[in-house]
Amino acid sequence: MRKIQKLLVANRGEIALRIMRSAKELGIKTVAVYSEADRLSPHVKYADEAVCLGPPPSSESYLLGDKIIEVCKELRVDAIHPGYGFLSENAVFAKKVTDAGLLFVGPSPESIEVMGSKLAAKQAVSTYDIPLVPGTEEAISDIPAAKERAAEIGYPILIKASAGGGGKGMRIVESEADFEEQMQRAVSEAQSAFGDGAVFIEKFITSPRHIEIQVLGDQHGNVVYLFERECSIQRRHQKVIEEAPSAVVSPEMRKAMGEAAVGVAKACNYFGAGTVEFIVDGDLNFYFLEMNTRLQVEHPVTEMITGKDLVKEQIWIAEGRELQFTQEDLTINGHSVEVRVYAEDPKNNFLPDIGKLQTYQRPQGPGIRVDDGFEEGMQIPIYYDPMISKLITHAENREAAISRMIRAIDDYQITGIQTTLSFCRFALQHEAFVSGDFDTKFVEKYFTPDVLDDSLSEEEESLIAALAVEFFEKEKQSTQVSSETEKSNQNSAWRKRLKIDG
């Protein structure tokens, strides 16, 4: 086992801060890296040491893997934690880290490489009897052959980039007449986004839910699952609201999905924290989708229901320790909900809205957690993901966790920019979400900008006016009382003494 004394966090914002806090609790010194745009960011101030990597664009700062490794050598760093995004799932970078004699707080480069390709991942897990969505087993480029396979699978089908993510290089095809055009677009988009135009075909699940399983594996062959997260509320194929556990997963389904996720991890000799994503159809049949070989944005809801600090577990696993608990030791405690607070305007197709945080006051109280990387007065930079924070609640059950979240959203004061808080409040109160009867098409089915109309009704305006009159009357009475008290005090013994002493 190799003890980490100093850790460099190769990331920014809320995830950098979140990692540093756990490292600090373990007595580990931290090093921050930052771009010129993040010079005054909280993660830079919090770290024991900080080094500027370069100009704001990530290609000139946070993606400079060789420079980050050089910083580690200069500052005698033991390990690198990549967080998520940027270099977190870059197998080449992970190998360079280990070749430099540093610990990479994440899985092996080989695991990252296998699971980084959706096709390679499907092939790796095929021997573990894990449910797969019907589709091609390899990349396909011959259009006539692809059409024939699509007909066998049955429309609608999904054309997906093998190296893809975030909805890029993905096309839904409803009929054979649209196939050729959509395939060409998918290949072109995949090549542009990932430098890899390989695509494959899958049956399109028409009413899908996105449910994922958190796994932890050590370097001694032990793997456990930490239950599921429901991640079906999305916009542009990216998550906005997550919760744990899912409202529709039974104990039997949970066990089956968990064991399948463990099988996926074992298929690539996985160690560290990882997430196995499944797509679930209307009949609650689940199919392996992909594995994310890193810490997930939504990991806090798992921490809240299990009591496990996933970052500490990552660090201990990187040091070579065995897991200190078994599957039987893990239980679900209550319910947790997370909303991602993006600097986006829900009324304008969720377009990013940059600007200054003129007001920024976090909600407080029992069962509320805010993971953020901003302070009041800071600018939201245009160069990175527009997420401001993650707001998480925990309570004894789902209803209480949702109620607590609605209260927390109301208490979260942000001005100067538009945020997704209003959309999240709408979603949490919607009948479909409350009942648990929703899928990844929630936004498409239920959301239009007019539902967030914040204009007041005549009844609400009358109530506010009445309250205002009552307030000013009380203020007037208070002022009169204060004036009479002041006159009385002027003749009091201590006032006379004060005048004499003065």
Side-chain angles (χ1 to χ4, degrees), residues 187-215:
V187 170
S188 175
E189 191 173 316
Q191 183 65 45
S192 175
F194 312 111
D196 181 354
V199 298
F200 63 102
I201 299 171
E202 280 185 349
K203 175 68 178 174
F204 179 62
I205 308 298
T206 55
S207 298
R209 296 181 79 110
H210 185 135
I211 298 178
E212 59 191 29
I213 303 288
Q214 176 72 59
V215 296

Side-chain angles (χ1 to χ4, degrees), residues 226-256:
L226 287 79
F227 314 115
E228 81 278 1
R229 296 187 287 255
E230 172 73 69
C231 307
S232 298
I233 305 294
Q234 306 178 0
R235 52 91 180 96
R236 295 195 297 272
H237 300 286
Q238 294 180 321
K239 306 160 191 171
V240 185
I241 300 175
E242 301 99 351
E243 60 178 318
S246 169
V248 299
V249 174
S250 66
E252 295 76 20
M253 183 178 175
R254 180 171 297 120
K255 184 174 186 293

Side-chain angles (χ1 to χ4, degrees), residues 399-413:
E399 182 181 1
I402 293 172
S403 296
R404 181 163 285 167
M405 177 60 77
I406 292 169
R407 191 270 291 176
I409 287 174
D410 290 342
D411 289 352
Y412 209 157
Q413 300 301 310

